[in-house]
Amino acid sequence: MFKSAEEKPVDFLPRHVAIIMDGNGRWAKERGLPRTEGHRVGAESVQEVIEGAVELGIEYMTLYAFSSENWKRPEREINALMKLLIRFLKDKEKELLDQNIKLQAIGRLHRLSEKCLKQLHRTIEATSHCTGTTLILALSYGAREEIVDGIKSIVHHVQEGHIDPAMIDEDIVSKHLYTRYYPDPDILVRTSGEMRISNFLLWQISYSELIVVDKNWPDFRKEDLLLAVKEFGRRNRRYGGI
Ligand code: FPP
C-alpha cells in the first residue's frame, strides 16, 4: 500500500505507536484451529506492522507481546509463545539490521527462560547501533509492576542521597520507569474491539489517543496501521487545554 518513506501518505506522524495485540485466540477459535496457530499468524502481523512503521518513518513502536498476567496461561501455550519469540528474533535479526531497526525490550525480563533471554540480548546487542525505528517489545510486562519497580528505584536513590524527596516530580518518576529512554506513546492501538488497557503503560498513556480496532490481531496488517496513523492525524490533541 505504501512503498517507501519518501512516499509518506500522511502529513502528521505519531512519534510513538504502542499496540495491544489482542485476539489471537479468538482468531484461531473462529477457524477451528489451536490457539497457538493464532499466535503464529499473529507473529506475521508483527512482521508486517514493523515494516509499516519503518516505511512510515515512525520513530518508536512498542508491542505488548507478553504480559505479566500471561504467565497464568497453560504451560503449553506459554512455551509456544516463547518458541515463537525466539524464532522471530533469530530469523528476523538480519531484516531488523537491513531495516535499521533498533530492538529494545521492557518488562521483568529476568522471568523469561534462559534461552529466550540469551536470544533477546543477542538481538538487542546486534541492533544497538541502528538509528531508524526503535522497536520495543513488552515482555513479561505489567504496568503496575513497572510502577512498583520505579518506586523502589526512587526510594533507593533517596536513601543513597542522590534524590531529595522534595524534588520528586513527574519527570523523576518517568526517569525511573522501564520506558525512561522513550517518549510517551502518541497512539495506543488495541485490536479485537476490547475497550481495556490491560495493565499496559498506565503512566505513559495519560495523553495518548486511543484507537480500538475491531479486527483480531492476526488480521491486523500494514493498511490497518496506516488507518490508525491517519485517524491520529484527524484528532485534535489539547492536553487538557482548550
Ligand atoms: C493476545 O491474544 C496475544 C498475546 C497474548 C500474545 C501476542 C503474541 C504474538 C502476536 C506473537 C508473537 C510475538 C512476537 C513479537 C513475535 P490472546 O491470546 O489473548 O487472544 P484472545 O483474547 O482472543 O484469547
Side-chain angles (χ1 to χ4, degrees):
M1 191 154 188
F2 39 101
K3 295 186 188 75
S4 71
E6 292 77 56
E7 281 181 42
K8 258 178 232 159
V10 277
D11 306 322
F12 194 44
L13 264 188
R15 277 190 83 193
H16 187 170
V17 175
I19 308 183
I20 300 176
M21 309 184 286
D22 192 23
N24 291 356
R26 272 161 286 171
W27 183 93
K29 195 170 175 208
E30 280 163 13
R31 288 160 180 79
L33 298 168
R35 295 177 55 81
T36 48
E37 190 55 17
H39 296 317
R40 191 189 64 74
V41 180
E44 291 173 12
S45 300
V46 168
Q47 172 63 29
E48 273 227 10
V49 164
I50 294 171
E51 278 173 27
V54 170
E55 289 169 20
L56 281 166
I58 290 169
E59 285 177 68
Y60 300 88
M61 188 163 75
T62 302
L63 300 179
Y64 205 3
F66 194 87
S67 73
S68 44
E69 289 77 21
N70 287 153
W71 290 115
K72 289 186 241 156
R73 293 195 176 195
E75 205 179 321
R76 237 188 102 250
E77 185 170 339
I78 295 175
N79 289 341
L81 276 166
M82 292 301 144
K83 260 193 182 162
L84 257 180
L85 178 67
I86 295 168
R87 193 175 331 134
F88 176 87
L89 293 169
K90 248 190 201 161
D91 294 354
K92 305 293 174 194
E93 190 171 298
K94 191 178 173 304
E95 278 170 60
L96 293 176
L97 285 167
D98 288 347
Q99 294 178 95
N100 197 20
I101 296 170
K102 182 183 187 128
L103 183 77
Q104 300 270 277
I106 54 170
R108 288 191 175 164
L109 304 178
H110 59 272
R111 291 193 69 188
L112 300 172
S113 69
E114 205 183 311
K115 195 172 172 196
C116 189
L117 202 51
K118 215 169 146 187
Q119 182 60 50
L120 184 65
H121 283 143
R122 240 196 78 136
T123 313
I124 287 175
E125 177 61 32
T127 62
S128 60
H129 64 282
C130 293
T131 54
T133 300
T134 299
L135 171 66
I136 304 145
L137 295 182
L139 294 166
S140 188
Y141 174 88
R144 287 185 170 188
E145 289 186 351
E146 177 183 33
I147 291 169
V148 169
D149 289 346
I151 291 170
K152 284 182 181 164
S153 170
I154 292 173
V155 169
H156 176 75
H157 280 79
V158 168
Q159 284 169 339
E160 295 288 307
H162 301 312
I163 294 178
D164 172 358
M167 302 301 282
I168 297 173
D169 59 8
E170 292 183 15
D171 194 45
I172 287 187
V173 173
S174 294
K175 288 199 166 96
H176 288 265
L177 298 177
Y178 307 151
T179 50
R180 55 186 163 277
Y181 306 115
Y182 324 121
D184 287 342
D186 301 291
I187 320 184
L188 173 65
V189 177
R190 179 170 189 142
T191 59
S192 90
E194 303 280 356
M195 304 281 185
R196 279 194 296 277
I197 302 299
S198 300
N199 202 16
F200 190 43
L201 302 174
L202 294 179
W203 172 274
Q204 299 87 340
I205 58 164
S206 293
Y207 291 104
S208 305
E209 293 294 327
L210 304 183
I211 298 178
V212 175
V213 178
D214 268 332
K215 289 181 178 183
N216 288 321
W217 177 250
D219 286 329
F220 190 93
R221 297 292 152 144
K222 225 185 249 191
E223 312 80 78
D224 301 297
L225 178 70
L226 178 60
L227 287 175
V229 166
K230 283 188 166 168
E231 170 63 24
F232 169 76
R234 283 191 290 272
R235 304 243 181 126
N236 176 12
R237 299 171 94 198
R238 293 185 296 278
Y239 296 97
I242 52 169

